[in-house]
Amino acid sequence: MAVWIQAQQLQGDALHQMQSLYGQHFPIEVRHYLSQWLEGQLWDVIDLENPQEEFKAKRLLDSLIQELQNKAEHQVGEDGFLLKIKLGHYASQLKSTYDRCPLELVRCIKHILYTEQRLVREASNVSMNSPVGGMMDSMSQKYQQINQAFEELRLLTQDTENDLRKLQHNQEYFIIQYQESLRIQAQLTSLATLPPADRLLREPTLLSKRATVEAWLTREANTLQKYRLVHYFLYRLYMCTLGLDPALCNWVLDFLTGRCEKLAETIWQNRQQIRRAEHLRQQLPIPGPIEDLLNDLNSTITDIISALVTSTFIIEKQPPQVLKTQTKFVATVRLLVGGKLNVHMNPPQVKATIISEQQAKALLKNENTRNDSSGEILNNNCVMEYHQATGTLSANFRNMSLKRIKRSDRRGAESVTEEKFTILFESQFSVGGNELVFQVKTLSLPVVVIVHGSQDNNATATVLWDNAFAEPGRVPFMVPDKVLWPQLCEALNMKYKAEVQSNRGLSEENLVFLAQKAFSSSSINPDDYRGMTMTWSQFNRESLPGRNFTFWQWFDGVMELTKKHLKPHWNDGAILGFVNKQQAQDMLMSKPNGTFLLRFSDSEIGGITIAWVAENPNKPGERMVWNLMPYTAKDFSIRSLADRISDLNHLLFLYPDRPKDEVFSKYYTPPLSKAVDGYVKPQIKQVVPEFTTTNPDPAANPTYMDHGASPVVSHPPNYGMYPPMSDSMLDADGDFDLDDTMDVARHVEELLRRPMESQWSGQQS
């Protein structure tokens, strides 16, 4: 992360220290608007004690002022107008302050950057020896490497430009002298028509002058050849410098865009220099190898431009990797060098097509695949737009939809959710006034097409395996059939944290539990699993022993349940989760009665259960561990986990010894309000019959929804269609009472005469 981004998050005394670094000598606004440029320069390579380094410092000062002026020119709007004036003022101020002492500017900026880095490091309390610090240090070194390479390219280009100007000046003077030589030769030829006395008088002078001029011409011709050769070798060195390690370019997109645009500008400038050199050669065709060398350079620089343009046509926002038919999806493609090459002057159109794995292979082999597709995408054409504020050229597909898909023949046990496709984005545009025409293509990450939501689980497994274990530069879309268990653990942990959006990942104990489940093992030693491998079939083809679901389907169910209903409790550490029934029993039996824990169900996808320790009602004095029937997402859509735990009075302590209200009370649903307009709101509560205590206060006893069937005999339900009827047909001695029975019969007859609607409306009111 850039130092300036982290510095803006400083607080308290650290923030005051950072702010005190700035003033009229170096405004904080300059630091803000040129943060990326300032952190990218090689300030440390300048020796402040060496006066000979002043020219380097002067060059950095000029570059700083130029960057400020460029930033000012790109400001638009009302706010942009004020900022434009302010940045222009700062450029003039810095020039007047440091023009005569540029080394002081370097000293000032080095002090600012060093102090900011120290403050950020102290605030984050991250040692450079820690893994995070080491990674930051490594990224910083790569950042410096990239900038050093760009600085070398810039200097080489500048040297080439100077040499080219010198070559042009010398060549122009050479042509003048060559014309003088021709004039002298013409004068010598004309001497033949003069009398001998006049010829003898003038000829020695002309011969001497011709010899001098020809000697100079010969010497200068050799010099020009050397200049042209130096020009060539500078380009060769330049080409070698372009061979940057691709890993160094693994940076944020904005950083890449800036660097790619600078690279495009430099390459295009060099191409123009080659053309100027060719023009100079045509003006003065001195025999030599330079013609072939220039042709070679021109071909090489054109190839480099082509490689840069085609490799910077990228997908900024990938389409969803699990793609459902008849469902809208979005994607964005971007040309990183579009702004510098003025591609936006004639905005190109981008087309999106879905192709199969075999078609992608053929495309990368440059085989003819025109008009080949594996489906139909609606709204698949988009014109690239230039965004003035950011200087980016991109195409935003906002309403694409896959109308239909054409599947290929499946291999062996492969299911439709294992078949991979990709979205091909392609375009054509020209640069340099139609001087060069480019056809660009780029492929999305693999996508799995589904037609029903029930396929999402298995499709996600295919995508996860591909994203985690595909090798760079692979043939589409080859993946290993088996991977080491630690590799899979890393992928599962990343997926879990990303899906649940939590900083709490899977612990080593959690991963041991998963290994036991995956390999049907009872070992609790993590080292026993480090050398084991898991195949794709074990991951998501073969069901777990004794179950009707795969390892992945169980794990994905846990993620979905946690993401949708249990995230705060997982983040609080209230859910142990990855614990089997026997482990839960062993853990709870050493704790007081009422201690409970939450674990994911082994037998049900996306289920979580409560295990607690209590007395055995059948054997007084004996304790046992109880397990509640697993809850699923459907249960939590009715009543939350926290409220369900609150309902169960026999649950007292969350394992190991935390009072349950201390952990869950902040998630309880507030009590219902009192009756409104004579209506009382019912409340759903959970009970476990064996652990239900009688409540003598009817007003405090709301409507219950029992979790399981109660062993207590219950009264038949009364739905309110008829008034409740007592046992008035029996007298006090239990004998049959005819009069009362007739009264009841008449009452029933009267009810039957009433219209049914009036009865219902009467009850509802």
Side-chain angles (χ1 to χ4, degrees), residues 157 160-161 164 167 228 231-232 234-236 238-239 266-282 290-305 435:
T157 302
T160 305
E161 180 67 24
L164 190 59
L167 174 63
R228 290 176 177 180
H231 188 66
Y232 169 77
L234 279 172
Y235 272 108
R236 298 309 301 172
Y238 164 78
M239 303 306 175
T266 303
I267 294 172
W268 191 257
Q269 183 179 353
N270 277 265
R271 188 171 190 274
Q272 298 303 108
Q273 290 175 349
I274 293 172
R275 297 186 65 185
R276 285 163 56 194
E278 173 64 22
H279 179 67
L280 291 175
R281 188 197 64 79
Q282 291 174 356
I290 194 64
E291 182 176 358
D292 293 336
L293 297 179
L294 285 175
N295 290 337
D296 181 28
L297 277 177
N298 193 51
S299 175
T300 304
I301 202 75
T302 302
D303 289 343
I304 291 176
I305 294 175
E435 184 181 336

Side-chain angles (χ1 to χ4, degrees), residues 103-120:
L103 285 173
E104 289 305 311
L105 172 70
V106 177
R107 190 189 307 275
C108 171
I109 294 177
K110 286 176 70 172
H111 172 67
I112 288 173
L113 294 178
Y114 173 79
T115 306
E116 284 180 350
Q117 289 171 354
R118 178 179 59 79
L119 291 172
V120 166

Side-chain angles (χ1 to χ4, degrees), residues 408-433:
S408 58
D409 296 333
R410 294 190 292 279
R411 303 183 293 268
E414 185 182 77
S415 68
V416 293
T417 55
E418 294 178 38
E419 185 179 4
K420 300 171 192 173
F421 298 86
T422 182
I423 309 295
L424 167 66
F425 296 93
E426 52 188 339
S427 183
Q428 177 176 306
F429 53 85
S430 61
V431 297

